[in-house]
Amino acid sequence: MSPHCLTAHALLDLFKSSKVTPQEVFEDVSARVKLVDAKIHAYIHPAQKPSFAAGAFPIPIGIKDNLCTIGEEITCGSRILKGFRPPYDAAVVEKIKRSGGLIVGVANMDEFAFGSSTESSCYGPTFNPWDLSRVPGGSSGGSAACVAADEAVWALGSDTGGSIRQPASFCGIVGMKPTYGRVSRYGLIAFASSLDQIGPLTKDVTDCALLMNIIAGYDERDSTSVNVPAPDYTKALIKDIKGMTIAIPKEAFVEGLDPEVRKAVEDAVALLRKLGAKIKEVSLPHTPYAVAAYYIVATAEASSNLARFDGVRYGLRVSPKKVRKNALIDMIEETRSQGFGNEAKRRIMLGTYALSSGYYDAYYLRGQKVRTLIKGDFDAVFQDCDAVLTPTSPTTAFKIGEKTSDPLSMYLSDIYTIPANLAGVPALSVPCGFSKQGLPIGLQLTAKAFAEETLLRIAYTYEQNTEWHLTKPAI
Amino acid sequence: MSQFETVIGLEVHLQLSTATKIFCGCANRYGCGPNTNVCPVCLGLPGSLPVLNSQAMRYAITASLALNARINGFVKFDRKNYYYPDLPKGYQISQYDFPIASDGYLEVKTKDTSARVRIKRAHLEEDAGKLMHDNAAGCSLVDYNRTGTPLLEIVTEPDIRSPQEAYDYLNTLKLNLQYLGISDCDMEKGSLRCDANVSIRPIGATAFGTKAELKNMNSFKAVKAALEYEVTRHRQMAISGGRIVQETLLWDDIKGVTVPMRSKEEAHDYRYFPDPDLVPFTLDPAFVDSLRAELPELPLQKQERFKEQYGLNDYDSFILISDRSISEFFEQCALLYQNPKNIANWISGPLLKEINQRKCVLTDLKLTSENFVNLIKSVDNGVVSNLVGKDVLTAMLDQGRSADVIIQEGGWAQVSDDSALTVIVDEVIAQNPSVAAQIKEGKANAVGFLVGQVMKKSKGKANPKKLSELITRRISNG
Ligand SMILES: [Zn+2]
């Protein structure tokens, strides 16, 4: 098997027995990118040549276009940041480089991570490797697609409302959003600071644990980073879930859920029960309000985070042809009008409105209150359950263009993933089947804060008893 | 005119003199080349994150404690959103509904008045950069060195009743902050900036009149002048039956007038919300207590101690504490010479006169307490007269040399030598026979006149004590 088809842990075994060198692996993956990326468009551009610096994990990796890398053009998929080359590495990029990581390229994404389909990138959409007429999910669609198409061995994405897990589900791979504060956000171009978390997209659960070992940990440059030592996640890879209790929220299996997705998830539940888990039906009564609360809080923060893109210091600057108000205001208006895409403008306006005086209490504050209630829902369930199980997404990958004209239906594709971001708890998506059309289906597991090991253990046990993760798309 | 009462509230923005900026590790330094003290964080580059400088918080708490304010145990930062090219993130990190401290007061004491001004709140925030307009090139440039400088905004209740009181408040505040050593309070460098709200109302009224907001004042004198200008304008308007409109005014120091700021620029909706990048936290009460325990002696406390410990009067002690370095200098001197009243006199008189004339501060003078005390001792011991002593001080400061050297080299020591003085004394007696006759008849106070004459002839070098003895002796012998 060519190196590009392998998982990271398989490659590490090969390195150990000197059957292949990191350089050879990188060249093999680069050749794969040359061969297939014209069809997939997972990458915006290849990274500058990797340094092949010594490190324990010389693994080819795709990096989402919102993670700062010294000297690399990083744009968040937006015209407004074109030409921006950060003078610093994101904390995770630093760690990847220190681990010997080989950065293959900058992965495509929805503009500023606003979307669930990777269609809003100013560079054009990424295509789902399983069906090129479909979206890979989003916003980390490029990161998910590059792993699914063997254009990288693993990838980093960011997850604000499901942006790692939903594309992982659509692309048939493993994706995890760690606990908020587990991975430093330093150098992640913010969408919604209180929800964003960087996480791994990998071919299997073992790789997910390995990549977590590299990126997790306290960082004093990020005040929201939590100062607790990160465990060795590979120790959680135990093929046993006897005695664990898995909660099934009744709210998750209601209308809008694709019957094929429902069937696959129910089969997974049956398997987990057979493997020794106790299944318990629970209620997360406030989750029906999660999407609404999320779009208030997330857009409010985004409207403020995106204010810095004004054409004054970096990125795009559009000088108006004619001065109407004053040169400065006209410049900022023109730059932002031309620099941001429609979805970004929609969210900036939503967020500005939610924060404006007279509406703050009715929207932002209420959103935060719902958030507290949702957190309370999870706390109650985790009193006597180890994890919550739901589908990752209510549907399989949809067609390109299918939801772009209907933002609300697009927003609903994150209905299962959003609660974990609001509550700050970790959640993971693992492949659990295919639709009749051959599209991957994902299973989501959510655990209490800092219980990533629980997620990895359950997912690993499930994975070791299924073969979904071994199937590859034909490209 | 007197049927109106003036109501003033002040907002002071104080730059804290921490080593580094409030949310990053850049040097917090004034006067460097443009954009030399900047990093991704204070430039607000995408992906950068703020981390609170604990020194800035300590300084803010210390200042708040000195202002007798209640420290809010819950520390939270908010974003104040607005666009300006010198504001790199498109928002300023500030404190909105949970200022670091509230409900304090400052005793404002002058030589002859005393008033209490309540402090409404004090909160921490970051400073913005600086725009420089290059009219020749037709462009504007931004210097971001100042972005991220820690600011403490201190807001008073509308307790101030006159421009003079506002002036006194600012001086007292500055003095207290100087004692704390947390800011250089230099208005010219922008390390202390002041905005004022002013209105008038009929005496006895409880409702506030329509206020004017004053900005752009660059000295305490300018604050006073701008307030005086506005108070007069409001009164004239009230008398002539006109209506004051609420507006923001800029003070033109050169023309001595206020000019309205364009109203468009002040129509702001800052859309405050909690900054998600800075997690709120709770202060350990023990930590606040430790800062309280470490509070240095403040001016009023020091004044009380000076009165008690050194037996000084109200006036002398007030003059001494009105500058932290002078008060410290006084105490250094008092250790070397157990005559505090004399030292106080020399400081509040000749030394302050020199400082004022030289338009400098004490520390610029390089005057050691040893030298200063030696000078005072020389006067007290009769080596030089009081009058010459003042000239010696001037020479000491001009030349940077010790009192002893100057007295010796300049031959300024008093002439106590009998034979040299006798010549002059006899001369003066001969020239003033009638006075001499009076002395002979027992009119002792006439001696003073002859002493003065001899002093004149000896160019002040004669020892006056010695002199009066000598004159009496010569006359009674003669
Ligand atoms: Zn800085």
Side-chain angles (χ1 to χ4, degrees):
Chain A
M1 215 192 277
S2 306
H4 66 258
C5 297
L6 299 176
T7 58
H9 58 92
L11 279 173
L12 291 173
D13 288 343
L14 289 184
F15 291 146
K16 228 175 264 168
S17 53
S18 301
K19 294 212 172 78
V20 66
T21 67
Q23 174 112 29
E24 285 162 0
V25 172
F26 182 76
E27 277 161 13
D28 178 57
V29 170
S30 297
R32 171 74 178 171
V33 174
K34 278 207 184 76
L35 189 69
V36 303
D37 203 53
K39 286 190 244 172
I40 309 288
H41 194 226
Y43 290 114
I44 291 168
H45 57 85
Q48 292 169 357
K49 278 272 171 225
S51 59
F52 299 105
F57 296 91
I59 306 294
I61 184 167
I63 301 278
K64 193 173 177 177
D65 191 31
N66 57 2
L67 294 169
C68 290
T69 305
I70 292 176
E72 204 73 57
E73 187 183 26
I74 295 295
T75 66
C76 269
S78 179
R79 237 189 321 276
I80 206 159
L81 260 175
K82 282 230 171 128
F84 174 62
R85 290 175 191 278
Y88 48 97
D89 280 332
V92 288
V93 170
E94 232 172 55
K95 287 179 166 186
I96 290 295
K97 286 181 175 174
R98 225 180 293 142
S99 76
L102 312 169
I103 299 175
V104 185
V106 177
N108 200 12
M109 62 183 280
D110 277 302
E111 183 179 13
F112 284 106
F114 298 156
S116 310
S117 66
T118 315
E119 291 167 288
S120 66
S121 164
C122 74
Y123 302 96
T126 295
F127 302 93
N128 190 314
W130 295 88
D131 178 345
L132 297 175
S133 71
R134 291 175 188 271
V135 303
S139 65
S140 309
S143 300
C146 75
V147 174
D150 291 326
E151 296 181 68
V153 176
W154 56 23
L156 283 178
S158 68
D159 190 315
T160 309
S163 288
I164 288 174
R165 291 158 287 157
Q166 184 255 23
S169 163
F170 280 12
C171 292
I173 59 169
V174 174
M176 179 157 83
K177 179 202 93 76
T179 308
Y180 184 75
R182 184 34 114 191
V183 178
S184 170
R185 293 186 296 114
Y186 183 84
L188 164 69
I189 302 180
F191 159 8
S193 314
S194 76
L195 301 158
D196 296 341
Q197 189 60 194
I198 299 164
L201 290 124
T202 58
K203 294 176 182 178
D204 67 6
V205 177
T206 306
D207 274 9
C208 183
L210 285 171
L211 188 46
M212 274 299 286
N213 276 358
I214 297 173
I215 63 170
Y218 175 62
D219 180 6
E220 60 183 16
R221 293 169 298 180
D222 174 1
S223 307
T224 62
S225 157
V226 180
N227 194 358
V228 288
D232 177 353
Y233 291 101
T234 58
K235 296 218 169 101
L237 302 172
I238 303 164
K239 221 188 307 181
D240 177 19
I241 51 170
K242 285 195 190 73
M244 293 182 104
T245 306
I246 295 172
I248 314 287
K250 58 176 191 241
E251 291 82 6
F253 297 86
V254 290
E255 57 176 317
L257 176 59
D258 182 304
E260 284 187 293
V261 173
R262 173 193 280 261
K263 175 76 172 56
V265 173
E266 282 171 355
D267 288 351
V269 171
L271 177 59
L272 288 166
R273 181 180 280 135
K274 210 181 95 193
L275 293 169
K278 220 176 100 194
I279 306 295
K280 186 180 172 194
E281 187 178 297
V282 298
S283 174
L284 294 167
H286 297 97
T287 46
Y289 309 104
V291 174
Y294 171 83
Y295 276 94
I296 295 297
V297 174
T299 56
E301 290 182 15
S303 71
S304 171
N305 283 333
L306 267 53
R308 70 190 66 195
F309 306 111
D310 55 8
V312 174
R313 293 164 303 276
Y314 47 80
L316 183 75
R317 176 189 292 179
V318 184
S319 300
K321 291 199 181 69
K322 225 172 87 185
V323 172
R324 287 165 299 148
K325 294 171 190 149
N326 75 51
L328 172 66
I329 294 172
D330 288 343
M331 185 278 283
I332 295 177
E333 272 185 16
E334 205 55 43
T335 299
R336 288 171 70 83
S337 298
Q338 294 188 26
F340 288 126
N342 285 339
E343 186 59 26
K345 285 176 188 162
R346 181 152 45 229
R347 297 203 186 195
I348 289 169
M349 285 193 288
L350 254 170
T352 304
Y353 183 78
L355 287 175
S356 54
S357 67
Y359 298 101
Y360 180 89
D361 288 2
Y363 296 105
Y364 182 80
L365 203 61
R366 182 154 316 182
Q368 291 290 21
K369 282 179 182 163
V370 171
R371 195 173 174 179
T372 308
L373 293 172
I374 287 172
K375 207 161 169 273
D377 283 1
F378 276 115
D379 288 345
V381 167
F382 291 133
Q383 292 270 311
D384 49 9
C385 297
D386 297 289
V388 170
L389 184 150
T390 65
T392 306
S393 170
T395 66
T396 52
F398 44 87
K399 291 265 189 194
I400 286 177
E402 190 182 324
K403 297 192 177 184
T404 40
S405 58
D406 183 1
L408 275 182
S409 78
M410 179 85 89
Y411 295 172
L412 287 172
S413 77
D414 296 332
I415 192 163
Y416 295 121
T417 48
I418 279 171
N421 299 81
L422 290 174
V425 296
L428 172 151
S429 178
V430 60
C432 74
F434 290 92
S435 69
K436 286 192 204 83
Q437 286 175 299
L439 297 169
I441 298 168
L443 169 78
Q444 177 179 243
L445 295 161
T446 307
K448 66 179 175 200
F450 299 101
E452 284 86 358
E453 290 157 291
T454 305
L455 300 178
L456 292 167
R457 180 171 166 185
I458 299 171
Y460 183 73
T461 308
Y462 177 76
E463 180 190 80
Q464 295 301 303
N465 287 280
T466 56
E467 292 191 336
W468 312 116
H469 64 291
L470 300 176
T471 318
K472 298 253 181 199
I475 303 160
Chain B
M1 291 283 275
S2 60
Q3 69 269 41
F4 290 110
E5 176 181 51
T6 302
V7 177
I8 296 168
L10 294 178
E11 279 174 27
V12 164
H13 284 84
L14 182 76
Q15 284 185 349
L16 301 176
S17 50
T18 51
T20 54
K21 295 185 180 182
I22 185 166
F23 295 121
C24 67
C26 289
N28 177 24
R29 204 175 296 141
Y30 175 81
C32 301
N35 298 309
T36 49
N37 292 328
V38 293
C39 74
V41 176
C42 58
L43 283 177
L45 291 189
S48 62
L49 292 170
V51 177
L52 178 62
N53 175 351
S54 58
Q55 183 68 30
M57 204 185 55
R58 271 199 293 276
Y59 279 3
I61 295 173
T62 298
S64 303
L65 290 171
L67 291 168
N68 308 291
R70 178 169 47 81
I71 304 299
N72 295 316
F74 181 69
V75 179
K76 171 177 162 267
F77 287 92
D78 302 276
R79 292 186 183 177
K80 180 180 180 180
N81 295 280
Y82 65 96
Y83 283 100
Y84 209 68
D86 67 4
L87 189 70
K89 296 188 292 294
Y91 58 82
Q92 179 188 21
I93 303 177
S94 181
Q95 294 187 307
Y96 181 55
D97 47 356
F98 286 90
I100 198 120
S102 0
D103 304 325
Y105 64 86
L106 182 66
E107 295 289 359
V108 178
K109 217 181 144 187
T110 67
K111 270 179 270 184
D112 15 62
T113 65
S114 179
R116 177 176 284 199
V117 174
R118 286 175 300 154
I119 307 291
K120 187 177 184 178
R121 57 183 281 157
H123 69 255
L124 266 176
E125 60 186 29
E126 57 179 347
D127 210 343
K130 237 180 195 169
L131 269 186
M132 291 171 295
H133 302 288
D134 186 337
N135 288 330
C139 67
S140 297
L141 302 166
V142 204
D143 178 4
Y144 292 104
N145 278 349
R146 202 177 67 179
T147 53
T149 298
L151 290 183
L152 185 68
E153 184 173 335
I154 301 167
V155 184
T156 74
E157 296 283 0
D159 281 358
I160 298 167
R161 290 290 168 267
S162 70
Q164 177 64 42
E165 207 170 286
Y167 182 79
D168 295 338
Y169 165 81
L170 290 171
N171 274 312
T172 309
L173 180 67
K174 178 176 169 175
L175 181 62
N176 275 277
L177 295 165
Q178 246 180 17
Y179 270 64
L180 297 174
I182 60 171
S183 172
D184 65 10
C185 300
D186 189 335
M187 257 186 125
E188 275 171 25
K189 287 191 209 160
S191 52
L192 190 152
R193 304 195 286 274
C194 176
D195 296 340
N197 289 321
V198 55
S199 62
I200 58 165
R201 62 180 172 191
I203 285 178
T206 45
F208 293 116
T210 308
K211 67 181 178 184
E213 289 173 56
L214 291 171
K215 287 181 188 289
N216 206 28
M217 300 163 293
N218 53 19
S219 69
F220 290 178
K221 282 199 181 108
V223 174
K224 193 176 158 209
L227 284 168
E228 278 164 353
Y229 179 88
E230 272 306 298
V231 169
T232 308
R233 188 175 73 87
H234 282 220
R235 286 181 179 219
Q236 281 166 354
M237 192 77 99
I239 289 162
S240 66
R243 267 190 63 190
I244 302 283
V245 284
Q246 182 167 337
E247 60 187 335
T248 302
L249 302 158
L250 300 177
W251 173 245
D252 185 330
D253 210 11
I254 294 157
K255 293 189 186 135
V257 295
T258 58
V259 255
M261 203 166 157
R262 271 168 297 162
S263 58
K264 249 189 185 172
E265 290 172 28
E266 44 176 316
H268 268 310
D269 178 357
Y270 290 120
R271 286 172 284 117
Y272 281 101
F273 77 105
D275 190 330
D277 288 328
L278 289 157
V279 183
F281 60 95
T282 311
L283 283 176
D284 182 356
F287 170 69
V288 177
D289 287 343
S290 72
L291 291 179
R292 198 190 308 271
E294 284 165 23
L295 269 185
E297 187 178 40
L298 291 168
L300 286 184
Q301 295 170 317
K302 189 170 260 183
Q303 191 187 359
E304 285 311 307
R305 182 169 62 81
F306 277 15
K307 280 157 70 177
E308 199 163 297
Q309 184 175 343
Y310 302 109
L312 299 176
N313 63 23
D314 224 36
Y315 177 82
D316 283 341
S317 55
F318 181 77
I319 297 291
L320 289 178
I321 59 103
S322 298
D323 184 301
R324 182 180 163 181
S325 52
I326 285 177
S327 72
E328 285 165 357
F329 185 72
F330 165 76
E331 291 211 273
Q332 286 166 14
C333 294
L335 280 178
L336 300 170
Y337 188 38
Q338 324 309 328
N339 194 343
K341 173 66 187 164
N342 235 2
I343 298 169
N345 287 345
W346 271 90
I347 290 177
S348 60
L351 183 58
L352 280 180
K353 195 174 152 203
E354 291 286 341
I355 288 171
N356 290 336
Q357 274 172 358
R358 287 160 202 259
K359 293 188 170 65
C360 67
V361 292
L362 175 67
T363 43
D364 295 336
L365 294 179
K366 313 237 180 321
L367 177 66
T368 67
S369 48
E370 286 81 6
N371 276 339
F372 191 62
V373 162
N374 282 342
L375 169 66
I376 300 172
K377 282 182 180 167
S378 303
V379 174
D380 288 358
N381 296 339
V383 178
V384 292
S385 69
N386 206 41
L387 215 65
V388 172
K390 288 175 188 169
D391 292 338
V392 173
L393 178 64
T394 309
M396 281 165 72
L397 300 179
D398 286 341
Q399 300 168 24
R401 297 199 297 173
S402 74
D404 297 347
V405 172
I406 286 166
I407 292 170
Q408 207 180 7
E409 286 187 5
W412 284 5
Q414 292 189 110
V415 182
S416 305
D417 168 26
D418 281 9
S419 58
L421 281 179
T422 309
V423 178
I424 311 175
V425 167
D426 289 348
E427 219 177 286
V428 168
I429 292 172
Q431 281 165 3
N432 297 280
S434 61
V435 182
Q438 282 174 11
I439 294 170
K440 210 164 187 182
E441 281 159 25
K443 248 187 143 183
N445 52 358
V447 176
F449 175 76
L450 291 188
V451 170
Q453 294 299 305
V454 179
M455 288 299 276
K456 229 185 208 170
K457 272 198 188 304
S458 72
K459 296 197 173 88
K461 279 193 249 169
N463 181 338
K465 231 185 238 164
K466 188 115 191 167
L467 206 52
S468 62
E469 278 172 38
L470 190 62
I471 291 170
T472 320
R473 206 167 61 224
R474 293 295 288 178
I475 289 175
S476 51
N477 291 353

